[in-house]
Amino acid sequence: MTRSSAEQAKDLDWPFFDDRHRNFKHRLDAWCAQHLRHAAHEESRAGVDAECLRLVRLLGQGGWLRHVVAGVAHGGAQDQLDTRELCLLRDTLAQHHGLADFALAMQGLGSGAISLFGTREQQARYLPKVAQGEAVAAFALSEPEAGSDVAAMQCRATPQGDGYILDGRKTWISNGGIADFYVVFARSGEAAGAKGISAFVVDADTPGLTIEERIDVVAPHPLATLRFEGCKVPSDRRIGEPGAGFKVAMGTLDVFRTSVAAAALGFARRALHEALNWARARPMFGQRLADFQITQTKLAQMATWLDASALLTYRAAWQRDQGQGITREAAMAKMTATENAQQIIDMAVQMHGGMGVKKGHIVESLYREIRALRIYEGATEVQQLIIGKDLLKG
Ligand SMILES: Cc1cc2nc3c(=O)[nH]c(=O)nc-3n(C[C@H](O)[C@H](O)[C@H](O)COP(=O)(O)OP(=O)(O)OC[C@H]3O[C@@H](n4cnc5c(N)ncnc54)[C@H](O)[C@@H]3O)c2cc1C
């Protein structure tokens, strides 16, 4: 068990968890120790794709993907998504292997709309394969001109016969290029703005859907821009009512936004773990780095930020599992955990000196892994607006 896992075991005594979660976490720790090792990121696109596919299969075989889909009848571990399990999974995987966390998260986010809003037929068709790691899922909401401002999307779904024709582009789509299906949001025209959007599940081999461009980012993940040109989708692939796509997207993000906080927490736990080990071992000026009060001040700040993040994350997860709305709580958790993690990881890099920026070192890869989490699934500024509006609502 890493020190960070041991610390987290203490968190499991918090009232947010029950024995089911404690047992789950112990099994997960043992599985991760056996199957996952930090490795310097594959840099080639083909290498990243292959590693991601391997991890999806591995997580499926391990039974962990069953916890990111809902419905026992469709291969899920339970009928409802358990947000605390989802967060424990991401928190733990992120401590071991950034790409494993990504692979699991995208199986959940990419199929979440089907779990939460899909028909029985859609659930039976897609979810068992997602849960087994046999089909790769993706979530296609963002567009070149519509990132934070989702309602500005231009991708069109024109009703035609017994279906729709999709035209437009989606960008920054994680798993783009390796996914078997995409949950796509498009303007179907029932009303202006957010009320005129519908959601669809589109198989990757549907004629008219192509990968326009693969995108490379600081922490390599499969990522692409998709193009839809006269792409025909039958009505039974629409998720939810016509015009309800914005609600489907936000309902899905409400669950998975909390899990982004959990992943940030996992990266930060690993950074603190590395910083403590390094500070104890590094000789300097006749003593150890850990013996300087400046170092102890940094460690105290890191540990306190980490606990604040953990409390907000698991508060939001617990609250959702009680059936309560968590729009404000999820935004607080995502904002705090990602911003704190960036600072914690930066401090760990600083404490490592030159080692901290050496390619392939764990803290160097954490430094790259954390950055996008402050941007995707709602940038920090978007979370601030959500919290502010919610406060002013009452
Ligand atoms: C690695 C990665 C993976 C992604 N995966 C997916 C995916 O799988 N599916 C998907 O649909 N999308 C995905 N995205 C897209 C992501 O959700 C968007 O990048 C994000 O919503 C921000 O949109 P944008 O990039 O267009 O930035 P913009 O919307 O242009 O925002 C730029 C910046 O403006 C600031 N800002 C935003 N709103 C306000 C405001 N109201 N006031 C002041 N400042 C503001 C923020 O700092 C923001 O970062 C991914 C992005 C990345 C980087």
Side-chain angles (χ1 to χ4, degrees):
M1 191 190 271
T2 62
R3 190 185 176 284
S4 44
S5 311
E7 284 289 321
Q8 203 187 348
K10 282 198 280 168
D11 297 359
L12 290 170
D13 290 335
W14 288 349
F16 299 129
F17 301 107
D18 53 36
D19 281 343
R20 186 167 54 83
H21 296 108
R22 293 180 192 103
N23 292 335
F24 179 81
K25 173 71 172 130
H26 293 318
R27 280 194 294 116
L28 178 60
D29 279 335
W31 185 87
C32 288
Q34 194 184 345
H35 291 93
L36 300 179
R37 289 270 172 283
H38 163 73
H41 252 311
E42 262 288 351
E43 292 293 341
S44 80
R45 218 176 263 162
V48 174
D49 288 359
E51 179 62 356
C52 200
L53 289 169
R54 185 188 73 81
L55 287 164
V56 169
R57 311 264 183 270
L58 186 70
L59 289 162
Q61 285 158 8
W64 304 111
L65 297 179
R66 293 173 54 240
H67 299 271
V68 304
V69 305
V72 174
H74 311 301
Q78 293 163 75
D79 281 331
Q80 306 290 329
L81 286 172
D82 184 300
T83 324
R84 287 166 291 173
E85 281 181 2
L86 183 58
C87 288
L88 286 170
L89 271 164
R90 294 204 63 186
D91 186 346
T92 308
L93 290 176
Q95 290 172 48
H96 289 266
H97 198 307
L99 203 57
D101 166 62
F102 168 87
L104 175 120
M106 285 316 304
Q107 289 297 91
L109 180 65
S111 66
I114 303 173
S115 278
L116 296 169
F117 301 97
T119 62
R120 267 177 205 280
E121 290 70 27
Q122 290 165 352
Q123 291 173 342
R125 185 181 177 99
Y126 292 100
L127 296 183
K129 287 187 181 169
V130 172
Q132 294 299 318
E134 288 165 6
V136 174
F139 179 82
L141 180 67
S142 304
E143 297 183 7
E145 308 297 330
S148 305
D149 184 5
V150 173
M153 77 169 55
Q154 292 171 13
C155 187
R156 275 176 294 120
T158 312
Q160 192 186 86
D162 182 28
Y164 294 81
I165 304 290
L166 299 192
D167 290 288
R169 290 158 80 212
K170 293 282 166 188
T171 193
W172 303 115
I173 307 309
S174 297
N175 279 344
I178 66 162
D180 292 290
F181 67 87
Y182 298 86
V183 168
V184 181
F185 299 84
R187 188 159 290 294
S188 44
E190 291 77 11
K195 293 205 170 112
I197 292 167
S198 297
F200 303 90
V201 52
V202 183
D203 292 336
D205 58 3
T206 307
L209 164 57
T210 50
I211 303 299
E212 183 179 281
E213 183 198 3
R214 291 293 302 263
I215 306 169
D216 298 316
V217 284
V218 284
H221 300 146
L223 199 66
T225 300
L226 316 180
R227 177 178 283 276
F228 297 87
E229 274 176 312
C231 178
K232 212 169 163 183
V233 181
S235 292
D236 63 7
R237 299 294 165 84
R238 194 189 61 237
I239 304 172
E241 294 300 312
F246 191 78
K247 198 180 108 198
V248 170
M250 295 306 129
T252 308
L253 286 174
D254 252 5
V255 179
F256 288 92
R257 190 167 277 156
T258 312
S259 84
V260 179
L265 188 57
F267 290 133
R269 283 191 209 276
R270 182 66 188 261
L272 177 57
H273 167 77
E274 297 298 328
L276 284 165
N277 284 350
W278 180 260
R280 285 202 187 93
R282 178 71 178 156
M284 200 180 285
F285 300 110
Q287 43 186 347
R288 302 171 312 162
L289 180 59
D291 297 322
F292 294 93
Q293 287 190 346
I294 296 176
T295 307
Q296 291 162 20
T297 306
K298 280 187 186 149
L299 292 170
Q301 183 65 75
M302 292 160 89
T304 308
W305 275 331
L306 207 131
D307 274 12
S309 302
L311 284 161
L312 283 176
T313 302
Y314 287 107
R315 189 256 312 242
W318 170 82
Q319 195 165 315
R320 182 178 179 278
D321 291 340
Q322 307 312 301
Q324 299 170 26
I326 57 160
T327 300
R328 186 201 302 187
E329 290 76 10
M332 285 178 168
K334 202 252 176 194
M335 172 176 79
T336 305
T338 56
E339 293 290 333
N340 284 358
Q342 179 84 61
Q343 305 230 44
I344 293 167
I345 293 168
D346 188 60
M347 281 184 171
V349 168
Q350 189 71 12
M351 286 170 64
H352 277 76
M355 272 300 171
V357 290
K358 186 174 176 219
K359 258 190 152 180
H361 193 285
I362 176 73
V363 295
E364 179 268 346
S365 74
L366 291 168
Y367 190 73
R368 289 186 290 116
E369 286 285 357
I370 191 59
R371 192 60 187 87
L373 277 68
R374 292 170 54 208
I375 296 171
Y376 64 58
E377 293 191 41
T380 293
E381 292 79 357
V382 171
Q383 309 306 331
Q384 287 168 331
L385 288 177
I386 292 171
I387 299 163
K389 279 190 185 140
D390 195 66
L391 285 167
L392 291 166
K393 199 172 66 181

